[in-house]
């Protein structure tokens, strides 16, 4: 495991200043990179992704309890309970772990502070799920980070009273960034127990203390510190007797592996091959059941087996040339777009979108309804990852994130169908990001067509203009 | 039809003053009655329910365009589009009616002002469904009114451009109160077409102009006027060429008839009778298929038919004594509780509920968590209709409205199970409303039991204390 | 309980002679009555149905082990196992009952004699379900009897080795006729344990020996004897140490009570009343939730409760005049027709049906295809219960038994739609049974229409002609 | 296309003599080969499978109208209609084809001769589906042939009146053997219309006459002739004005291609690879959505695309070594076993199976129940394809055909679980076929274990003894 050694405090910009600065970065990818850099500083992202990511746990110690200030506080937790409709079971879990036994105490209904704090005082751990639905800052941070990962970034918040542990040892199926916000917590991390459990695709059951070996990391995380560990690394954490703990765990890369891509790739590849190459449509040998199958697997000397296997290998090899890799990536991309949080727009961005369009009801009727999109208007997508063009059953669909909910998948996936003649125009817009391009430079037929494409995407909230649009006088 | 004749303007308190005054009425039923009185003034509620309700349309003309001011305005409509997530199809419909043909133009996705106003400018009518989810005032008014009706009170808002009509003639399955908020609209109302269509249980299809007779009412509704008509009365409305219209229609008494109650009553009654009275469990006559059934219905002279019918009538008569009327009412009550909007609490009410409990996170831990409910604390339910005790399969369940959503049925129905030994305590609380009673006067075992019952209901947000609770020092 | 006292042997006609004689009885109802008379002789059916049926167990002792000879024998059992596809679990159960514990040993797959007999030799009881699917005689007897009962007649066969008992004490939900075919079995019958268990609608769980009182009957049934008991009477039976037992239990009147009819009657009655009488469509009182429902059930002095209840009783009484009794009977009749076994036709009947129509393929083509149904042809339905005319959603459907399967409900219910103009013709045919009527006396339009109606029913196998039809020369 | 040129009549053994002779062939594969040889004589099977099968239509003309005598006749058709329960729609279709339009006239319910022959006389074609359920000979022939093909062999029978055609031109997804039984029929066969329609996986829609080119075969098939064509070859057939036609079409190789095998192979292969090789579990590149997917497919010069594709190809190649080919074959085998007709056993075979076991009920009890399987008893499976050993989720299951229905998939698939310690014994039995082996030579623990394995398979009807078993005296 990696551990940052520096004993001096690490100071960086405060989160509020950082977020303010990020607003001036035009490219959402770049913005995301800067935020991630801050998140793991002083480790360099390049180093992180080459030496640590998916490989080994990393402890970044900062001796600076204010480093993550403003991210999320126990006061935020309290306020959310009072002001929002937090539901037990759906948004908040109550658990305890004593003598090697994890228990869940979550009741039903709305989680009101007086009830929640009573559990806490009685030694229960609280887990706030989906904090991005309640905290604008968490939402903003996650929605920025998802641009870097090409995979959903989620979060859970854990508040544990002094002397307690909320969960049994286990490993997860996601890359975890544990960000200590307040208090301290003692963490023990263990190697995956076998090769099969390296980078696993499903989370583990709860383990007993006997099932793990020696921890490869045993440390106390303090406010301002961060601990990363890849999926498969077993971990457990408990509070010291005298100090509570508040941390947020960011998670990403769930089901985002080569294997997941291949699962999307194969059925399509095989269908293409069958359609195109008659060899796949030829009948199996009349007698193959006589020498193939598990009951015949010991007939190693039967030359028909070898020839059958060769034929299969040969066809599998042929399949390579039918692999519709881009189409499989589109299926992953479409899932990603649906998983995404909707973007948090900056004031500057907002001013140039449909959300700030001047149309208003005034004096008995709507005014400023017609917008001045012209050939010379310069436009760009609102974010690098705000939308994705996918081919599906002969249609071209533009999937987008802007109408997603802050609650995971509470809205169905959203898309609009794109006229094939306009697909090049959309593609140009997607690829040009973050550059602005002029409406009349879109490859989309007549000027009217270009304007109407731009207007459609603008009205869906997918693109911004370089300057706020002026209304036509009406 | 009833028409108020007075040609002088009718002035009443403004809505904002009325709502302020209502806050000081302790009893939610009384509060509701006052609000309804204002809604239909100067017609007296007593007269309304004896002469008009479910019988005939009523036009209340006030010559006072400000009467309903503050209820909902076209500016509210505009603001909601900008600030809330209004979704086409779900919350907003776009329709037109030309040359006897109704058309729906509703697209999908979020309804942004620039798109909505464009439809409007092109002559389309807008219908905002479920405005209570977006407007606090509408929510407040409906949630107050539902206490009077014992039946869900819903609303739709209609905004129609000059010279247009949005809907074809039809009748509804609800009692309708059309409240003209801005502009004017020409209304024509027609008698039900037949006895079967008096107080119908399902809404009609769209009618052509030829299918109705002469309107029994043909009038121009102006801002400040109200038009009521019972279910079954056909109606249509269109804007005058020079003036737009904004109105809200309040609706109630959907599926709230004696027949609906009987549908809930019969299966249970029959099961009870079968269980208790062996006559219901006796076999049918061996030969009844020979003389009963439609193919034998002309054997009027067969005495066995008469005797068979007599036996059936006799059993039906016997059934009367098994009718579990209260249980059937409970089924209706349970549905009503689920249909209800959650109450809008006044500041004064709030101060005495769990929502204002002083528990807070401060200085590294929760403070003021333990509440001082004592035997002498005086409590009452928060609203007359906030909860309902129902027996179900041997359990006693308390269904409640407080965790309902402002969107219809977006939350499942909520209840808590009540220990049979505490049922009398809950019943006393429900019946004593609006009086406060002391915790130690609850018929519920020991003082600890009483306090814990009170605490459970308090923590669910179902009851209020006479004075804000003070925390125990912790 | 009733017990026949006569110590002398009772001899009647043998089953084979009886069945032969029954063939000459034209009326299927009469045929059925004769067979049932023989089944319970020397008890007279009139006495049986007035004093015993649904009231008390009856033991008919005959001192004549050959009385039921030919019904079903252990050799038949053996032959069926060899020649038919009897499936464990579906058609055959293997059980044992030792020390108050019932066990099921049924394996899966086809029940071959060598396996079945091995179970038997090891002390297991065998239950052959649905023997009518394997034995022509059982099928014939049941299909004749169902004409008497207007309710499905089913059967199970039990073969128990010496000294064993296959089932725990229990009661059933059917009227049971236990017919001892071979060997002997000791039976104990107990009164229903409470009024609620008199004529119950569902079968009981297994009882322990302690749960019943003293048997009201404790007797050894010998071959040729019969034991009847109504639903609700608990019973158990075991073999004597030295003698095996083979019996068949005939069952009928499952879910065939007044209560079952009323369950079909009420929803329709209420719908009719709601449609016709506006009083059912009127709204409930505004405040009924305040005084009705279980939480208000103790407000006995509230006059509104009394008036509410009166209103409900009044509506329930009104409902009587809307009771669509014939339509409810039709629903029962339709279920019965689906439950029925297909009829076993006698040679004489067959000769006059479509099944003996002379159409044959001969010399390269079909011959004798066109049938000579003329106006003067005399026809009748094949059986009293072979078909039933029911009104359904405005259509007139003729449900029939002839294409049912010998396995219960293996075929869906079958019907043909009848042109309303021909319904009177079908009705006349159904009512005239067992008389033949001339085709041209059918009330069905032109002679061609009459002939085509007759031909349609003839081709479906529902009617027979008085004499075999002659083909037209072709 | 291939056409046999010989103008002299071809005579072979009659079907009845052939089937008698086949009984003496011990090996079911050999038996099947002989029957197939007769079916296509004088073409040699070797030639057929090398030059014709799946490649080109073949016409075998024999000038011998008696060649297929005994297979199925129009008299059989007539008898089946009278004696069996043939159901319209399920077993029998009625169609016509006039002026390029195919019509279906099939009514519902049982198909009685008088109705069926009336359709026929009016010019309709009849198709008897699943004739193996009604004709013992067809069942026998198909069940023998399925041993050769390792794929279900099905059949339809077509009876067409003079001058008519029943079906529109189309192609099928099966290999078709058209066997002319009586009369004549004019056939036209056309090449597949494109490469994609060579050996297609799904049947075509109906074509119009304009959609095909020139027929590659246009001939009159006479009784005794056979016409074969592979899937994908379009065909149509009509009767000459003066002569009817009866033919049976045998079909096989539906969904039995390499592609079908690969569809079973891939998910398993990928799961194995993911489990075993961490490279499949590694995360996708952080930025892959930026250069992969259809919207990026034109970035041909981006080296990241090439490297991504290489990685995918590399993983696909790696997959080869995880391909669980035998397990995939087992899935196909299991489907085949379920598709199979149950075998028709010869008298000689029957005598040595459980179906002839001497256990009988006699003199009040079962006799000869215990069978004398000893260590020295010699046994073998009843047929080469009667059962198949498959591994599934860690269990070893023996799927078998013997309890299949003659109606396609009317019974669920049947199997018994095999104790892993006995799997070698079962495997030996399957592989030794057609040799007999001694029970004590089974590799299965103690002699008792061996006997009990043999008894279990014997009792399921899966194996036969060399000589009929003698019962133990009991």
């Amino acid at each position: 495991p990696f551990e940052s050694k520096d004993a001096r405090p690490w100071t960086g910009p405060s989160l509020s200043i950082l977020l303010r600065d990020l607003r001036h970065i035009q490219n959402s990818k770049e913005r995301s990179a800067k935020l991630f850099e801050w998140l793991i500083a002083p480790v360099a992202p390049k180093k992180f992704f080459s030496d640590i990511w998916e490989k080994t746990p990393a402890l970044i110690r900062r001796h600076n309890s204010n480093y993550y200030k403003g991210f999320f506080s126990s006061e935020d937790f309290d306020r959310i309970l009072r002001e929002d409709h937090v539901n037990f079971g759906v948004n908040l879990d109550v658990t305890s772990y004593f003598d090697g036994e994890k228990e869940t105490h979550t009741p039903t209904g709305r989680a009101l502070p007086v009830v929640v704090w009573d559990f806490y005082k009685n030694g229960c751990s609280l887990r706030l799920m989906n904090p991005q639905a309640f905290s604008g800052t968490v939402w903003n941070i996650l929605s920025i980070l998802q641009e870097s990962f090409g995979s959903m970034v989620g979060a859970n918040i854990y508040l544990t009273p002094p002397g307690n542990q909320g969960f049994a040892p286990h490993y997860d199926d996601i890359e975890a960034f544990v960000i200590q916000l307040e208090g301290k917590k003692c963490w023990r991390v263990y190697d995956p127990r076998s090769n099969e459990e390296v980078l696993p695709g499903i989370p583990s059951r709860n383990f007993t203390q006997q099932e793990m070996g020696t921890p490869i990391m045993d440390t106390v995380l303090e406010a301002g510190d961060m601990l990363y560990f890849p999926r498969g690394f077993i971990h457990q954490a408990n509070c010291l007797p005298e100090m509570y703990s508040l941390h947020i765990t960011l998670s990403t890369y769930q089901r985002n592996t080569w294997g997941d891509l291949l699962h999307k790739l194969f059925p399509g590849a095989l269908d293409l091959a069958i359609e195109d190459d008659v060899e796949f449509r030829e009948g199996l040998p009349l007698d193959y059941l006589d020498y193939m199958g598990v009951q015949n697997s010991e007939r190693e000397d039967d030359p028909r087996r070898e020839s059958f296997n060769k034929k299969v290998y040969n066809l599998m090899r042929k399949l390579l040339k039918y692999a519709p890799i881009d189409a499989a990536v589109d299926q992953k991309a479409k899932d990603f777009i649906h998983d995404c949080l909707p973007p948090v727009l900056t004031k500057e961005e907002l001013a140039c979108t449909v959300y700030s369009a001047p149309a208003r009801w005034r004096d008995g009727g709507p005014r400023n309804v017609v917008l001045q999109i012209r050939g010379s208007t310069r436009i760009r997508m609102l974010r690098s990852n705000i939308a994705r063009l996918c081919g599906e059953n002969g249609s071209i669909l533009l999937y987008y994130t802007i109408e997603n909910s802050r609650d995971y998948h509470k809205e169905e996936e959203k898309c609009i169908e794109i006229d094939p003649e306009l697909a090049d125009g959309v593609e140009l817009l997607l690829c040009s990001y973050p550059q602005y391009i002029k409406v009349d430079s879109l490859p989309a037929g007549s000027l009217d067509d270009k304007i109407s494409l731009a207007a459609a995407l603008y009205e869906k909230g997918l693109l911004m203009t370089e300057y706020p649009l002026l209304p036509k006088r009406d």
Side-chain angles (χ1 to χ4, degrees), chain A:
Chain A
F2 169 90
E3 298 200 25
S4 65
K5 305 282 176 195
D6 207 328
R8 288 165 307 175
W10 175 264
T11 51
S14 74
L15 183 58
S16 61
I17 286 178
L18 176 71
L19 288 174
R20 195 198 58 197
D21 289 352
L22 290 182
R23 282 206 242 147
H24 302 115
I25 299 180
Q26 292 298 307
N27 186 339
S28 62
K29 290 261 171 189
E30 211 181 306
R31 208 184 271 175
S32 182
K34 287 276 183 221
L35 178 57
F36 184 68
E37 190 180 334
W38 173 84
L39 202 80
I40 62 166
V43 176
K46 205 167 157 187
K47 179 187 166 59
F48 178 80
F49 284 112
S50 68
D51 297 355
I52 297 170
W53 172 251
E54 290 194 335
K55 293 192 189 66
T56 190
L59 170 66
I60 300 175
R61 199 177 289 295
R62 295 205 183 82
H63 312 290
N64 173 2
S65 66
N66 286 322
Y67 191 75
Y68 290 121
K69 201 171 172 194
F71 200 144
F72 192 91
S73 68
S74 40
E75 281 80 12
D76 291 332
F77 204 128
D78 184 70
R79 183 186 40 75
I80 285 168
L81 292 179
R82 277 183 286 115
E83 297 179 3
D84 278 298
H85 281 258
V86 176
N87 279 305
F88 281 123
V90 182
N91 314 115
L92 188 76
D93 269 353
V94 182
T95 61
S96 65
Y97 180 81
F98 286 115
D99 290 340
E101 188 112 7
K102 192 209 159 195
E103 272 189 277
T104 299
H105 309 275
T106 322
T108 59
R110 179 167 167 195
L112 288 166
V114 84
V115 177
V116 172
W117 296 136
D118 200 45
F119 276 119
Y120 177 88
K121 291 198 79 162
N122 285 300
C124 291
S125 272
L126 306 173
R127 174 168 60 173
L128 181 65
M129 290 165 289
N130 217 30
Q132 56 272 39
F134 304 109
S135 155
T137 305
V138 174
W139 172 23
N140 193 14
I141 289 173
L142 299 186
S143 80
I144 293 173
L145 287 177
Q146 73 196 1
E147 302 274 315
S148 289
F149 286 101
S151 171
M152 185 178 78
V153 182
N156 280 324
I157 282 167
Y158 299 83
L159 181 58
T160 312
N164 285 283
Q165 173 165 351
F167 294 88
H170 69 279
Y171 62 76
D172 296 304
D173 60 343
I174 44 93
E175 301 303 292
F177 296 85
V178 176
I179 287 165
Q180 190 69 26
L181 300 165
E182 297 177 11
K184 330 178 166 184
K185 203 165 193 181
C186 171
W187 281 83
R188 274 164 292 163
V189 182
Y190 307 79
D191 267 332
R193 301 184 312 157
S194 66
N195 274 339
E196 283 71 36
E197 296 187 355
V198 172
L199 300 178
I202 45 171
S204 76
R205 57 176 173 79
N206 290 335
F207 295 119
T208 64
Q209 299 297 342
Q210 291 71 46
E211 287 180 282
M212 291 99 51
T214 329
I216 57 169
M217 195 181 267
D218 186 342
T219 190
V220 173
L221 215 59
E222 304 198 21
D225 294 349
M226 198 210 74
L227 172 63
Y228 158 84
F229 42 85
R231 53 198 187 278
F233 281 80
I234 301 168
H235 51 277
Q236 60 179 324
N238 62 286
C239 272
L240 305 175
E242 77 291 350
M243 180 50 88
Y244 78 100
S245 163
L246 177 73
H247 78 261
I248 185 168
T249 299
L250 309 189
S251 61
T252 192
Y253 261 58
Q254 190 176 39
R255 306 213 146 276
N256 198 40
T257 69
W258 293 101
D260 295 303
L261 180 71
L262 289 176
H263 264 304
K264 303 224 178 249
L265 180 63
F266 272 116
L270 194 46
D271 287 343
L272 280 180
I274 288 171
E275 192 184 318
D276 188 67
D277 183 346
V278 74
E279 215 182 324
F280 288 85
R281 299 199 300 275
E282 281 169 6
L284 290 161
L286 287 162
D287 57 354
Y288 81 108
L289 292 175
D290 296 347
Y291 53 85
M292 296 305 299
V294 172
Q295 79 182 31
N296 297 306
S297 56
E298 282 161 37
R299 297 174 183 260
E300 281 143 24
D301 47 341
D302 191 326
R304 293 175 302 176
R305 280 183 67 81
E306 200 189 321
S307 130
F308 190 94
N309 287 340
K310 264 194 186 154
K311 172 81 177 186
V312 171
Y313 295 142
N314 191 32
L315 290 171
M316 286 176 80
R317 243 175 255 115
K318 269 193 164 189
L319 208 60
L320 265 68
K321 83 167 172 184
Y322 294 101
I325 299 178
D326 283 315
V329 166
D330 280 353
Q331 288 186 53
K332 294 260 329 148
K334 173 184 149 183
D335 290 351
F336 168 56
I337 291 288
H338 190 205
D339 291 347
C340 271
L341 282 167
V344 180
L345 302 187
T346 64
K347 239 187 281 182
E348 295 75 14
E349 286 166 341
L350 263 177
C352 298
T353 67
V354 70
Y355 303 109
S356 302
R360 286 284 182 292
W361 183 279
R362 207 169 50 233
D363 305 332
R367 311 293 160 200
N368 300 329
V369 175
V370 181
L371 292 171
Q372 300 273 42
I373 294 185
R374 306 164 188 243
S376 59
T377 309
R378 285 162 50 89
I379 57 177
R380 61 169 208 177
M381 300 306 288
L382 252 166
R383 288 290 156 87
S384 174
N385 272 335
I386 205 169
R388 185 90 194 179
L389 210 53
C390 300
E392 241 177 82
N393 306 324
S395 305
I396 301 174
L397 301 174
L398 185 69
Y399 287 90
Y400 53 87
T401 66
I402 195 94
E403 293 180 12
N404 283 352
S405 53
R406 287 165 70 177
D407 287 309
Y408 178 68
H409 282 198
K410 205 166 173 180
E411 293 286 331
E412 296 191 341
E413 58 188 9
K414 310 279 178 171
C415 66
I416 43 172
E417 191 166 350
I418 301 293
D419 181 335
E421 305 203 347
L422 304 179
D424 281 352
V426 177
E427 216 172 289
L428 181 63
L429 272 164
L430 291 165
C431 296
S432 312
Y433 184 88
Q435 264 67 54
Y436 290 95
I437 57 176
K438 281 166 73 181
V439 169
D440 61 14
S441 71
L442 290 173
S446 70
L447 181 58
D448 275 4
D449 291 343
K450 294 171 188 195
I451 289 176
S452 102
L453 170 60
L457 298 177
Y458 178 85
E459 287 176 359
K460 270 286 162 198
L462 298 179
L463 56 76
M464 61 186 291
T465 50
E466 191 168 16
Y467 306 102
L469 281 185
L470 296 178
K472 271 202 189 135
R473 191 99 34 105
D474 37 17

